[in-house]
Amino acid sequence: MDQDSHCTAERELLEAVNRITTFSTTSPTDEEQNQPKAEISCQVRKENPEKDDLQDSRASLSPNSSMTTKELQEYWRNEKRQCRQVKLLFEIPSTRIVEHHLSKYVMYKIIILQTGSFDSNKSVIERRYSDFEKLHRNLLEEFSEEMEDVTFPKKTLTGNFTEEIINERKLAFKDYLRLLYSMKYIRRSKKFIDFLTRPELQEAYGCLRGGQYTKALEILLEVIGLQERLTRGNPASVVPTLCAIVVCHKDLENAASAFEYGEKALSRLRVHTSHRYYMPLLETMITLAYELGKDFLSLQEKLEEWKAKKDPVRVFTLKELAVREYVQ
């Protein structure tokens, strides 16, 4: 290829990159248009803008005519990695009316999945109007300024069970959850996370305390994925759930599965060795490793190191800690 042809190829690639970049930032899909603007963003600016500016100048090149074809391709790969859809998507596809003794209410089915990719591990929960109402009150107490312009569907004196009202609330609650999730401090708040996970966790731990390990495990495995997505900035927060899964597998004599989830829990406690679950988890992992014929000496060394740093105090077993979670 002669020099003119090479330059022409580079210009054509540059034009293609510019067209794609322009299209990706100005032509959102129908799904994106329906989401709050804050939900879709480019992950170029993090918490420290000055540090990010320095990293950006090193990590990615700006597209210009002096770049080679290889450099342009690498530039576009970096742009695609940095610019992506964010987090979770909320849908409320259906409802059901529940009549229990003298009460009657509507349960809203909420599907939560990750945006930007096919999510085979979607989470499905159900909440009623009063659950949403309680969440709204709690958030107003802590985030009065952020919640100033957030509207909440009002309760009506009559017609709460008509198809028209139920459909209106389905749409309103979907938009409400998306809007809350688009606000960083709210989506990271314990009150918001509890709204999405606490009822299921309470049921699971109730089954665990009652010795219904199979049922408890089923619920815990459903909720752990959602918990992990909601608490990515705080990996240690899912340790109690992971340890409860370890306890269930261990009591069901699934030692290999118990060890697998124990490793996941330990990985989240690397820099949190003062966590109340750390030593009981190490003790359980040593027992499981010995049973499975795995190396337990490194775990034993960590345990002895931890004991040497701490004053001797009574420590609960992993199961004793688990059964104490979510006790009213």
Side-chain angles (χ1 to χ4, degrees), residues 50-307:
E50 293 181 1
K51 182 178 178 182
D52 287 335
D53 288 341
L54 180 60
Q55 290 175 339
D56 290 347
S57 65
R58 292 175 180 173
S60 62
L61 302 170
S62 60
N64 58 66
S65 58
S66 64
M67 293 171 68
T68 65
T69 301
K70 183 177 180 180
E71 287 173 335
L72 282 169
Q73 291 171 337
E74 182 61 29
Y75 167 80
W76 180 238
R77 279 195 290 269
N78 287 335
E79 288 298 302
K80 287 175 69 177
R81 280 195 292 267
Q82 292 173 358
C83 217
R84 60 182 183 271
Q85 287 182 310
V86 177
K87 313 290 183 166
L88 302 179
L89 178 67
F90 298 86
E91 296 291 343
I92 304 182
S94 62
T95 61
R96 64 187 179 94
I97 297 176
V98 178
E99 295 189 54
H100 184 67
H101 298 303
L102 299 178
S103 64
K104 182 179 180 181
Y105 52 88
V106 179
M107 294 294 290
Y108 296 85
K109 180 180 180 181
I110 306 169
I111 297 179
I112 308 161
L113 60 157
Q114 187 169 313
T115 59
S117 63
F118 176 74
D119 190 351
S120 59
N121 295 318
K122 65 185 178 182
S123 301
V124 181
I125 60 176
E126 283 190 316
R127 298 293 183 267
R128 55 188 290 188
Y129 181 95
S130 60
D131 296 324
F132 281 97
E133 193 175 37
K134 181 180 179 181
L135 169 66
H136 193 69
R137 286 197 308 269
N138 290 338
L139 292 177
L140 282 173
E141 292 176 1
E142 187 174 353
F143 304 101
S144 56
E145 291 186 10
E146 292 87 344
M147 297 288 292
E148 186 177 2
D149 297 323
V150 178
T151 58
F152 186 82
K154 301 295 183 182
K155 184 176 290 186
T156 59
L157 295 176
T158 59
N160 286 303
F161 301 101
T162 64
E163 184 177 354
E164 181 181 1
I165 293 296
I166 290 174
N167 286 334
E168 285 179 3
R169 286 182 176 170
K170 275 170 54 180
L171 295 174
F173 284 141
K174 180 179 73 172
D175 292 339
Y176 177 73
L177 290 173
R178 288 184 176 186
L179 182 57
L180 293 182
Y181 191 78
S182 72
M183 294 183 275
K184 180 176 68 173
Y185 294 108
I186 289 180
R187 73 168 173 259
R188 293 180 179 178
S189 70
K190 185 178 184 300
K191 291 175 180 177
F192 182 70
I193 294 171
D194 279 352
F195 169 79
L196 296 171
T197 62
R198 189 178 180 89
E200 286 72 24
L201 287 172
Q202 286 178 319
E203 181 183 0
Y205 279 97
C207 292
L208 192 157
R209 284 188 290 273
Q212 301 175 29
Y213 301 114
T214 301
K215 180 62 176 177
L217 184 60
E218 178 185 337
I219 300 170
L220 290 168
L221 291 175
E222 287 180 358
V223 78
I224 186 62
L226 177 57
Q227 257 194 313
E228 288 177 328
R229 293 171 194 165
L230 290 166
T231 59
R232 283 176 178 168
N234 183 18
S237 63
V238 300
V239 166
T241 305
L242 288 171
C243 288
I245 292 173
V246 172
V247 170
C248 289
H249 274 306
K250 189 171 183 296
D251 278 36
L252 290 170
E253 299 183 354
N254 301 327
S257 296
F259 191 84
E260 176 189 348
Y261 279 92
E263 286 186 315
K264 291 181 180 180
L266 277 179
S267 70
R268 287 157 173 79
L269 293 179
R270 286 196 185 102
V271 295
H272 302 281
T273 56
S274 61
H275 197 284
R276 70 187 189 281
Y277 272 87
Y278 184 68
M279 190 179 120
L281 178 59
L282 277 177
E283 291 178 331
T284 299
M285 290 295 285
I286 291 169
T287 302
L288 289 168
Y290 182 80
E291 181 180 340
L292 294 167
K294 295 179 178 288
D295 172 34
F296 62 87
L297 293 179
S298 60
L299 294 168
Q300 187 70 48
E301 288 174 1
K302 290 180 181 178
L303 180 61
E304 296 302 327
E305 181 183 345
W306 187 93
K307 287 181 177 179

